[in-house]
Amino acid sequence: MPNDNLTFYTNPMSRGRIVRWMLEELGVPYQTILLDYGTSMKAPEYLAINPMGKIPAIQHGQTVVTETAAICAYLADAFPQMGMAPALDDRLRGTYYRYLFFAAGPLEAAVSNKALGFIVPPEREAMIGYGTYEAVLDVLEDAVEQGEYLLGENFTAADVYLGSQLGFGLQFGTIERRPGIEHYWSRISARPAAIQARQIDDDLISNSPQKK
Protein backbone atom coordinates (compact mmCIF):
# COMPACT_ATOMS: atom_id res chain seq x y z
CA MET A 1 0.00 0.00 0.00
CA PRO A 2 1.42 3.42 -0.89
CA ASN A 3 2.60 5.56 1.98
CA ASP A 4 -0.07 8.25 1.51
CA ASN A 5 -0.50 11.11 3.94
CA LEU A 6 -1.87 9.95 7.27
CA THR A 7 -4.09 12.28 9.32
CA PHE A 8 -5.17 11.50 12.87
CA TYR A 9 -8.25 13.19 14.35
CA THR A 10 -8.30 13.08 18.14
CA ASN A 11 -8.62 14.69 21.53
CA PRO A 12 -6.08 13.77 24.23
CA MET A 13 -8.90 12.98 26.65
CA SER A 14 -10.46 10.23 24.56
CA ARG A 15 -9.99 6.77 23.09
CA GLY A 16 -7.73 8.56 20.65
CA ARG A 17 -4.98 7.75 23.14
CA ILE A 18 -5.20 4.15 21.97
CA VAL A 19 -4.66 5.12 18.34
CA ARG A 20 -1.83 7.46 19.35
CA TRP A 21 -0.08 4.47 20.94
CA MET A 22 -0.65 2.40 17.81
CA LEU A 23 0.82 5.14 15.64
CA GLU A 24 3.86 5.50 17.88
CA GLU A 25 4.42 1.72 17.73
CA LEU A 26 4.39 1.92 13.95
CA GLY A 27 6.77 4.87 13.88
CA VAL A 28 5.26 6.28 10.68
CA PRO A 29 4.78 10.02 10.05
CA TYR A 30 1.31 11.39 10.69
CA GLN A 31 -0.47 14.71 11.14
CA THR A 32 -2.58 15.30 14.25
CA ILE A 33 -5.76 17.37 14.13
CA LEU A 34 -7.14 18.16 17.58
CA LEU A 35 -10.90 18.47 17.99
CA ASP A 36 -12.96 19.81 20.87
CA TYR A 37 -16.07 18.16 22.24
CA GLY A 38 -19.31 19.80 21.15
CA THR A 39 -17.65 22.33 18.82
CA SER A 40 -15.15 21.29 16.14
CA MET A 41 -16.10 17.64 16.68
CA LYS A 42 -19.61 18.50 15.47
CA ALA A 43 -18.57 20.91 12.73
CA PRO A 44 -19.53 20.10 9.12
CA GLU A 45 -15.89 19.58 8.15
CA TYR A 46 -15.45 16.78 10.65
CA LEU A 47 -18.92 15.31 10.19
CA ALA A 48 -17.84 14.67 6.61
CA ILE A 49 -15.13 12.43 8.08
CA ASN A 50 -17.27 10.80 10.79
CA PRO A 51 -21.02 11.52 10.70
CA MET A 52 -21.19 10.35 14.34
CA GLY A 53 -19.13 13.38 15.32
CA LYS A 54 -16.90 11.19 17.48
CA ILE A 55 -13.21 10.53 17.70
CA PRO A 56 -10.78 9.03 16.94
CA ALA A 57 -10.66 8.76 13.17
CA ILE A 58 -7.92 8.58 10.59
CA GLN A 59 -7.62 9.47 6.93
CA HIS A 60 -4.94 7.61 4.98
CA GLY A 61 -4.83 8.97 1.48
CA GLN A 62 -8.45 8.65 0.33
CA THR A 63 -9.36 6.05 2.97
CA VAL A 64 -11.24 7.10 6.10
CA VAL A 65 -11.46 4.75 9.09
CA THR A 66 -13.43 5.30 12.29
CA GLU A 67 -13.93 3.09 15.37
CA THR A 68 -10.82 2.49 17.46
CA ALA A 69 -10.50 -1.28 16.95
CA ALA A 70 -10.99 -0.87 13.20
CA ILE A 71 -8.34 1.87 13.09
CA CYS A 72 -5.81 -0.31 14.90
CA ALA A 73 -6.53 -3.26 12.62
CA TYR A 74 -6.33 -1.09 9.52
CA LEU A 75 -3.03 0.49 10.50
CA ALA A 76 -1.46 -2.88 11.25
CA ASP A 77 -2.39 -4.07 7.75
CA ALA A 78 -1.49 -0.77 6.06
CA PHE A 79 2.09 -1.02 7.37
CA PRO A 80 2.76 -4.78 7.40
CA GLN A 81 6.51 -4.26 7.56
CA MET A 82 6.11 -3.24 11.21
CA GLY A 83 4.83 -6.68 12.22
CA MET A 84 1.82 -5.47 14.20
CA ALA A 85 -0.46 -8.20 12.84
CA PRO A 86 0.10 -11.84 11.88
CA ALA A 87 0.18 -12.58 8.15
CA LEU A 88 -3.09 -13.69 6.57
CA ASP A 89 -1.83 -17.26 6.30
CA ASP A 90 -0.47 -17.35 9.87
CA ARG A 91 -2.43 -19.66 12.19
CA LEU A 92 -2.30 -16.91 14.84
CA ARG A 93 -4.39 -14.60 12.67
CA GLY A 94 -7.54 -16.13 14.15
CA THR A 95 -6.38 -15.52 17.73
CA TYR A 96 -5.46 -11.97 16.77
CA TYR A 97 -8.94 -11.28 15.41
CA ARG A 98 -10.50 -12.99 18.39
CA TYR A 99 -8.96 -10.65 20.96
CA LEU A 100 -9.34 -7.49 18.90
CA PHE A 101 -13.06 -8.03 18.64
CA PHE A 102 -13.49 -9.57 22.07
CA ALA A 103 -12.21 -6.25 23.39
CA ALA A 104 -14.45 -4.24 21.06
CA GLY A 105 -17.53 -6.33 21.88
CA PRO A 106 -17.87 -8.29 25.14
CA LEU A 107 -15.22 -6.37 27.10
CA GLU A 108 -16.44 -2.91 26.10
CA ALA A 109 -20.06 -3.81 26.82
CA ALA A 110 -19.36 -5.55 30.14
CA VAL A 111 -17.18 -2.73 31.47
CA SER A 112 -19.57 -0.01 30.29
CA ASN A 113 -22.54 -1.72 31.93
CA LYS A 114 -20.61 -2.14 35.16
CA ALA A 115 -19.67 1.56 35.15
CA LEU A 116 -23.35 2.44 34.68
CA GLY A 117 -24.41 0.13 37.48
CA PHE A 118 -26.36 -2.15 35.13
CA ILE A 119 -26.42 -5.82 36.11
CA VAL A 120 -27.83 -8.32 33.63
CA PRO A 121 -30.57 -10.41 35.30
CA PRO A 122 -29.44 -14.06 35.49
CA GLU A 123 -32.34 -15.20 33.33
CA ARG A 124 -31.27 -12.74 30.60
CA GLU A 125 -27.54 -13.55 30.48
CA ALA A 126 -28.01 -15.67 27.35
CA MET A 127 -29.38 -12.61 25.55
CA ILE A 128 -26.38 -10.39 26.22
CA GLY A 129 -23.22 -10.74 24.14
CA TYR A 130 -20.86 -11.15 27.07
CA GLY A 131 -22.93 -13.25 29.47
CA THR A 132 -21.49 -11.93 32.73
CA TYR A 133 -18.81 -9.44 33.73
CA GLU A 134 -17.06 -12.20 35.72
CA ALA A 135 -16.93 -14.49 32.67
CA VAL A 136 -15.34 -11.74 30.60
CA LEU A 137 -12.62 -11.16 33.20
CA ASP A 138 -11.99 -14.90 33.49
CA VAL A 139 -11.36 -15.09 29.74
CA LEU A 140 -9.09 -12.05 29.85
CA GLU A 141 -7.10 -13.29 32.80
CA ASP A 142 -6.47 -16.60 31.08
CA ALA A 143 -5.51 -14.86 27.81
CA VAL A 144 -2.92 -12.53 29.31
CA GLU A 145 -1.30 -15.25 31.41
CA GLN A 146 -0.47 -17.49 28.44
CA GLY A 147 2.64 -15.58 27.40
CA GLU A 148 4.37 -12.23 27.23
CA TYR A 149 1.65 -10.93 24.90
CA LEU A 150 -1.69 -12.15 23.58
CA LEU A 151 0.10 -13.96 20.74
CA GLY A 152 2.99 -15.23 22.83
CA GLU A 153 6.21 -13.41 21.99
CA ASN A 154 4.62 -11.24 19.27
CA PHE A 155 3.30 -7.82 20.27
CA THR A 156 0.43 -6.79 17.98
CA ALA A 157 -2.37 -4.29 17.50
CA ALA A 158 -4.53 -6.61 19.61
CA ASP A 159 -2.29 -5.88 22.60
CA VAL A 160 -2.54 -2.14 21.96
CA TYR A 161 -6.32 -2.20 21.80
CA LEU A 162 -7.21 -4.79 24.42
CA GLY A 163 -4.39 -3.68 26.69
CA SER A 164 -5.55 -0.07 26.57
CA GLN A 165 -9.05 -1.13 27.55
CA LEU A 166 -7.58 -2.91 30.56
CA GLY A 167 -5.43 0.08 31.43
CA PHE A 168 -8.41 2.44 31.37
CA GLY A 169 -10.44 -0.03 33.42
CA LEU A 170 -7.75 -0.38 36.07
CA GLN A 171 -7.33 3.39 36.23
CA PHE A 172 -11.03 4.12 36.66
CA GLY A 173 -11.93 1.09 38.74
CA THR A 174 -14.15 -0.66 36.20
CA ILE A 175 -11.76 -3.62 35.81
CA GLU A 176 -11.23 -5.87 38.80
CA ARG A 177 -7.61 -5.88 39.93
CA ARG A 178 -6.43 -9.42 39.26
CA PRO A 179 -2.68 -10.19 39.40
CA GLY A 180 -2.46 -11.57 35.85
CA ILE A 181 -4.23 -8.56 34.36
CA GLU A 182 -2.16 -6.08 36.37
CA HIS A 183 1.13 -7.76 35.44
CA TYR A 184 0.20 -7.79 31.75
CA TRP A 185 -0.70 -4.10 31.79
CA SER A 186 2.49 -3.27 33.66
CA ARG A 187 4.55 -5.03 30.95
CA ILE A 188 2.95 -3.51 27.90
CA SER A 189 2.48 0.01 29.30
CA ALA A 190 6.25 0.19 29.84
CA ARG A 191 6.96 -0.14 26.12
CA PRO A 192 8.80 2.93 24.74
CA ALA A 193 6.03 3.71 22.25
CA ALA A 194 3.40 3.53 24.99
CA ILE A 195 5.38 5.93 27.16
CA GLN A 196 5.95 8.29 24.22
CA ALA A 197 2.26 8.28 23.28
CA ARG A 198 1.18 9.03 26.85
CA GLN A 199 3.69 11.88 27.06
CA ILE A 200 2.41 13.45 23.84
CA ASP A 201 -1.21 13.37 24.96
CA ASP A 202 -0.47 14.40 28.54
CA ASP A 203 1.48 17.41 27.24
CA LEU A 204 -1.46 18.34 25.01
CA ILE A 205 -3.75 18.25 28.05
CA SER A 206 -1.33 20.32 30.16
CA ASN A 207 -1.00 22.93 27.40
CA SER A 208 -4.70 23.17 26.57
CA PRO A 209 -6.37 26.59 27.03
CA GLN A 210 -8.55 25.13 29.81
CA LYS A 211 -5.40 24.39 31.84
CA LYS A 212 -4.03 27.91 31.54
Side-chain angles (χ1 to χ4, degrees), residues 33-50:
I33 295 182
L34 297 176
L35 300 173
D36 294 322
Y37 290 98
T39 54
S40 53
M41 215 174 287
K42 303 298 182 182
E45 295 81 4
Y46 184 64
L47 292 177
I49 298 293
N50 185 356

Side-chain angles (χ1 to χ4, degrees), residues 160-205:
V160 172
Y161 184 67
L162 183 146
S164 294
Q165 297 273 40
L166 296 183
F168 290 148
L170 292 171
Q171 179 182 357
F172 295 111
T174 55
I175 294 279
E176 180 182 309
R177 290 190 172 275
R178 299 187 181 187
I181 291 174
E182 289 190 292
H183 292 160
Y184 169 74
W185 172 242
S186 178
R187 288 196 301 276
I188 67 171
S189 64
R191 291 176 62 85
I195 295 170
Q196 174 69 8
R198 285 197 301 274
Q199 188 63 60
I200 292 170
D201 281 323
D202 288 347
D203 286 348
L204 287 171
I205 293 170

Side-chain angles (χ1 to χ4, degrees), residues 19 50 52 54 56-57 65-72:
V19 175
N50 185 356
M52 290 285 289
K54 298 177 69 176
V65 189
T66 67
E67 311 312 318
T68 308
I71 295 170
C72 290

Side-chain angles (χ1 to χ4, degrees), residues 95-151:
T95 305
Y96 167 76
Y97 280 139
R98 174 189 180 186
Y99 289 119
L100 263 178
F101 296 106
F102 183 84
L107 176 59
E108 174 87 13
V111 169
S112 295
N113 282 343
K114 179 177 175 59
L116 294 171
F118 175 73
I119 299 175
V120 180
E123 69 274 11
R124 298 295 183 90
E125 288 172 359
M127 296 179 61
I128 202 80
Y130 61 85
T132 68
Y133 171 83
E134 291 73 20
V136 169
L137 288 194
D138 288 345
V139 170
L140 287 173
E141 187 173 32
D142 181 68
V144 300
E145 289 181 335
Q146 295 300 311
E148 187 75 6
Y149 306 118
L150 291 169
L151 302 187

